[in-house]
Amino acid sequence: MNANETPMISIQSVTKRYPGVVALEDVSFDIMPGELHSICGENGAGKSTLMKILSGVIPDYEGQLLIRGTPVRFRNTRSAEAAGVSIIHQELNLVEQLSASANVFLGRELRSGLGLLDQRRMNAETRKLLQELECDVDPQSPAGSLRVGDQQLLEIAKALSLNTDILIMDEPTSALTESEVERLYRVIERLRQRGVTILYISHKMDEVFRLSDRITVLRDGRHVETLNRADTSPREITHLMVGREIDAMNLQDAREIGDVVLEVRQLSRPWPGHARAWRLRDISFKLRRGEILGIAGLMGAGRTELLECLFGASTEACQGQVYLEDRPVRFRHPSDAKNAGIAMVTEDRKRLGIFAQMTVRENISMCNLQRTGVAGILRAGQERTMVQDSIQRLGVKTAGMEAAITSLSGGNQQKTIIGRWLLTNPKVLLLDDPTRGVDVGAKAELYRLMDTLCREGISIILTSSELPELLTVSDRILVLAEGRLTAEFSRQEATEQKIMEAATATAAHTD
Amino acid sequence: MANAKRTDSTSPGWATRYRNELGLVLAVIAVIGVTLLFNRDYLMQPGRNFQDIVQQTALLGIFSLGAAIVIISGGIDLSSGSVIVFSGSTCGLVMLLLAPVGDNGQPDATDVGIGVVAIAIGAAILVGLIVGTFHTWLITGVKLPPFVATLASLVGLRSLAKILNQAVTAELGNQVTKVRAEDLHFLKLREWWVAPVVFLVLGILCWFLMNRTVIGRHLYALGGNEDAARLSGIRTDLLKWLAYSIGAVTASIAGILYTAKITAADPSTMAVGYELSAIAASVVGGCSLQGGIGSIPGVMLGVLFLRIVMDAVAKIVQAGSDDYQGLIVGFLVVLAVAFNEMRRQNSGTRKEMFPGVLGFCTVPILALLMGIIVFVFSKQISFGLATGIVALLGLLAWKLWEVFRIKRTV
């Protein structure tokens, strides 16, 4: 890398304040032309704020931004795109009802001589772009019908058609299968050959170290360090990200596993109108008292669908038998499951978990209000005591129980939702990817909490998209692949390698 | 830091918690004050004015309570006006059907007895319950959006009331659309204090339901996040039934009182557009159409404020206030929601008032609107014209200043 070269992007003392919070503070670093520059940091470190500034989503900030040496200030994504900057968001930004080619040319549709849409040329161009990206889909098929990996390539195709030379990718592999990830790596390689500068945001150290030229670490809105990949190690980067040593978790010793609490036999969940026909097929397993049962699987393997079945929250009727403490049960509504002693903490906290308009108190007491008063009348005093106990027990960091739930960090929001369910005294706790969007410190606290709960006799079924997490906390791990149970490992047997093999072992199991 | 602070120091004081309600009380006082400056009628006839305003407020308020509960629970009820007509007609028809036959061979409904009146009122309330249940089925069973389900009732029920009135009165020998309700017991409901008492009692009941019961908390939860509510083990379908039934039953009660007030139920003219007034009152009272936000005292004050402003305009211009009603409601709704929006965004992002080309086009539109409003109130072309020109220049200057400000920051 030539030090005299003009940086592609120069970020100079960028600061972004929100009321009460500084999201970015005096961040400065350069990105050189043609490099793949990874940005690492915990949740809340300011990565996405910075990317939003770079891509024009956030127009007001302090400090300066130079692209190819000229100062710029993007007022919207369009002006950023005009300057050659595109972003692939983690949550993809496609209009699902429109065709692939319509999405690529959205907002700058090609027109024929009469000013009408030139569908043919758009399709042809889209096909060419997609072929270049090893993506074999029909430009006329609706974007929503494509697989996540193909949708992502569609977004990249769109960026390419904009003549993008700076591409920001926000956790691009989080929803991809192994083979899709490999394909993405090849696409990235091809983009680099074209001279595209790539900003790559990821939590996954193996990816970062496989792809990057340089790595920048952000922590609490500040720039910590920018390092050459060759001069550093994953260990050093994680250390810089956290700013403290993560104390080695030791949760395995002597947790007592009791009798079978929940037994599932031949559970199937239909998938009307889908080629696979079954979201889940013939799943059988047992859960014992005081046990943490981990469920591994790629996106779309059926982890959430399984928990929904057990909780009575699925839209289709599930087939098969479920026994809770040896009694057959069939839940038609989450309230049945709740009354029977099953609790579920949902995957998408913002959409399915919290009540954003409500206070911490109202969020915690939500499932257990009947017990606070007589004849459906609230007793404010009892509610407060209950909530206060819960806040203390789980160590929720909040300014008070009347604080707005949205003022809490992700990890603490998650704790209030767990607290909400613990108040119902569940026998079985279903946790659907509970540490998603939770920072490293809070994750460790959640692991410790799970351990304590199990020691108190609760059984937990845990799904997670992160294998190390499952390996840390689970007593046993089940692996799902395309709706089928493909393996079961005890803690001693399980390794990341074995789990990944089972999770991708779908072809062998078609019958 | 937060761990040490276990006590509830963040609990907001009542002044912030009831900011919306306080604001409305002050606004009501302010409007009365301004009206007094222009018009002495409030001082000349305090008793009659008081009775008038209180009765009108209560009649609108009764079904606004229902509309607000539906809105807080995340839905919308567009059918109130038609439910008022339909239940009023039902009430009148039941009294006609059960009335003794008079000398001319027609039913004589001037004295049907207290029992029949009770049955008629019961039937009208039952109509509300039926409509509410039907709405809930359309929404939860057929999965129609609430807007569509209640829109169907809005147009359908008024028409059905007309046809039903004609069919039933034809059977009785004298086909009419407007059903008279002239029983002397029933007409006691015309007393000025009846509607306010009903409004107050319903208001207290609704407040208790929403603030002091589990069901109320769950209704707020349903409006705030329906999926999360369901996944918290809340029976959302039952709650919706309750909300839409309250919405329709309060409209039925209002229908009975309106019918008594005008001694007839007339599907052609009665309660047209009232559903929108109720929704407007809820919004002015602080409800969010996204659901989950709003308070019963706020809605009651919102209704009072809306009514006071309408009355004030009627007093000041001394003309048929009905003609100005829509203009005032529209204006207040925009103002109230804009005010709430501004408060919510507060200091965060500095936004432009007139962004881009659209903003540029809005400048003459606003100026034109202001000119017309001044003209209709002053009845002087020259006043209107002058206001329009001044507004045009002022807003244009504002727009240019915004353009200049942006140029400078880029």
Side-chain angles (χ1 to χ4, degrees), chain A residues 295-469:
Chain A
I295 297 189
L298 297 169
M299 212 68 142
R303 295 174 308 194
T304 302
E305 287 78 359
L306 174 59
L307 297 195
E308 281 175 354
C309 264
L310 297 179
F311 192 58
S314 68
T315 38
E316 312 88 11
C318 297
Q319 301 163 12
Q321 297 94 44
V322 179
Y323 297 86
L324 185 65
E325 295 183 320
D326 293 329
R327 278 199 312 273
V329 287
R330 183 166 287 272
F331 305 130
R332 291 172 201 288
H333 190 275
S335 66
D336 297 337
K338 181 171 101 176
N339 295 335
I342 295 187
M344 176 160 164
V345 175
T346 48
E347 173 184 35
D348 192 336
R349 187 171 55 241
K350 279 216 185 77
R351 202 164 57 82
L352 305 175
I354 63 168
F355 298 94
Q357 292 101 330
M358 292 188 161
T359 61
V360 172
R361 167 175 57 83
E362 289 165 321
N363 267 284
I364 290 181
S365 64
M366 186 56 72
C367 290
N368 210 31
L369 288 168
Q370 277 89 352
R371 279 183 222 177
T372 61
V374 189
I377 294 166
L378 295 173
R379 290 262 188 83
Q382 263 170 311
E383 187 190 347
R384 273 201 196 99
T385 325
M386 181 170 90
V387 169
Q388 191 65 60
D389 288 350
S390 188
I391 289 177
Q392 243 144 38
R393 179 178 179 195
L394 301 182
V396 179
K397 292 197 189 75
T398 165
M401 67 171 84
E402 298 301 326
I405 185 77
T406 44
S407 70
L408 269 57
S409 70
N412 281 300
Q413 288 182 7
Q414 195 65 286
K415 282 191 207 163
T416 62
I417 296 176
I418 295 176
R420 176 195 294 171
W421 282 107
L422 289 182
L423 286 173
T424 65
N425 289 323
K427 300 181 185 103
V428 177
L429 182 60
L430 311 174
L431 298 175
D432 196 1
D433 214 345
T435 60
R436 192 163 87 163
V438 167
D439 64 50
V440 176
K443 271 184 190 172
E445 279 182 59
L446 285 173
Y447 298 160
R448 235 169 263 126
L449 175 65
M450 286 181 223
D451 185 54
T452 317
L453 292 174
C454 286
R455 286 175 201 280
E456 288 167 9
I458 292 178
S459 311
I460 293 179
I461 299 182
L462 168 77
T463 77
S464 176
S465 43
E466 292 173 40
L467 287 183
E469 175 169 304

Side-chain angles (χ1 to χ4, degrees), chain B residues 290-306:
Chain B
Q290 263 96 51
I293 295 175
S295 80
I296 296 297
V299 172
M300 294 173 81
L301 286 168
V303 177
L304 180 66
F305 178 62
L306 217 57

Side-chain angles (χ1 to χ4, degrees), chain B residues 310-380:
Chain B
M310 286 179 197
D311 204 65
V313 171
K315 287 279 182 302
I316 293 169
V317 297
Q318 296 186 329
S321 68
D322 283 1
D323 297 340
Y324 291 86
Q325 200 162 308
L327 186 62
I328 296 157
V329 173
F331 183 70
L332 288 182
V333 166
V334 170
L335 211 65
V337 176
F339 188 69
N340 276 340
E341 250 347 275
M342 253 155 32
R343 208 173 58 190
R344 225 162 280 164
Q345 296 177 345
N346 53 41
S347 54
T349 46
R350 221 168 19 150
K351 273 235 195 100
E352 294 163 66
M353 191 79 159
F354 303 109
V357 179
L358 181 70
F360 198 77
C361 297
T362 315
V363 166
I365 295 175
L366 278 181
L368 186 68
L369 197 61
M370 285 189 209
I372 291 176
I373 289 174
V374 169
F375 163 62
V376 294
F377 277 99
S378 66
K379 313 254 183 336
Q380 305 246 352

Side-chain angles (χ1 to χ4, degrees), chain B residues 179-215:
Chain B
V179 176
R180 304 198 66 81
E182 292 165 322
D183 174 74
L184 52 100
H185 307 286
F186 184 67
L187 291 187
K188 287 199 178 118
L189 295 176
R190 294 172 76 184
E191 295 280 339
W192 73 271
W193 52 267
V194 174
V197 168
V198 172
F199 178 44
L200 219 57
V201 170
L202 281 176
I204 291 169
L205 284 177
C206 289
W207 174 83
F208 188 81
L209 175 77
M210 295 308 281
N211 290 58
R212 288 285 180 269
T213 70
V214 176
I215 289 173

